[in-house]
Amino acid sequence: LLEGGKKDAYRPRLAREDADSIRSLYEEQGYLETQVKLEERLKSDGSAVELSFVIDEGQRWTIGALRVEGDWPESMGPATANLPIKSGDWYRPLDLAAAERSLRDTLDVEGYSEARVQSRVEPRPGHRLDAVFRVQTGRALTLRAIRYTGLESTRRKLGDRSTALQEGNPLTRRGKRDTERALYRLGR
């Protein structure tokens, strides 16, 4: 595999890192017990090393139950109703992170802009993982008033048109971010 002078010299550390990367790729697809064995064979004349990565995938894990703990507002209905994952799906850490963001975004729309959502998995028999989401909503905030200060050459109406937030509506992270961006663009 690697022949030639120093430039192409075999580096065992890099081969081990490659084996770890292969294992990580499998774990990202829900194969949590993947074993990657690195086999090295030196050519009889010592001029090259042949590498083989022997992979035992193991069993692929699935999502078991979906649970939400903490203070999810009952008025918003079941927290798990609109998640991008469901029981029986293949487990993937990226999908779990997307479900976490989905819960946070759902809370944000209702004015829980400071809500925190953390996820964890709990192993169950049969290569299943229960997905558990811990929710801390904080208070729902409504925007009472919008005030502009320091306006010199910009008219208030221009600021109002650039604002994604509306008085009396829930205060959201997205609204704050979009308004901030729009107002910064006015100054350019």
Coordinates of all heavy atoms in Angstrom, one line a residue, residues 7 44 100 106 150 180:
K7 N 8.7 10.1 2.2 CA 7.4 10.7 1.9 C 6.2 9.8 2.1 O 5.2 10.2 2.6 CB 7.4 11.3 0.5 CG 6.2 12.0 0.2 CD 6.2 12.6 -1.2 CE 4.9 13.1 -1.7 NZ 4.9 13.5 -3.1
S44 N 7.4 -9.4 2.0 CA 8.6 -10.2 2.4 C 9.9 -9.4 2.2 O 10.9 -9.6 2.9 CB 8.6 -11.5 1.6 OG 8.7 -11.3 0.2
E100 N -34.2 17.4 19.2 CA -33.9 18.4 20.3 C -34.2 19.8 19.8 O -34.9 20.6 20.4 CB -32.5 18.2 20.7 CG -32.2 18.8 22.1 CD -30.7 18.4 22.5 OE1 -30.4 17.2 22.7 OE2 -29.9 19.4 22.6
T106 N -40.3 24.6 18.6 CA -41.7 24.6 18.9 C -42.0 25.5 20.1 O -43.0 26.2 20.1 CB -42.2 23.1 19.1 OG1 -42.0 22.4 17.9 CG2 -43.7 23.1 19.5
G150 N -31.8 56.6 19.8 CA -30.7 57.0 19.0 C -30.9 57.2 17.5 O -30.0 57.3 16.7
E180 N -32.6 41.8 14.4 CA -31.3 42.3 14.6 C -30.5 42.4 13.3 O -29.9 43.4 13.0 CB -30.5 41.4 15.6 CG -29.2 41.9 16.0 CD -28.5 41.0 17.0 OE1 -27.9 40.0 16.7 OE2 -28.7 41.3 18.2

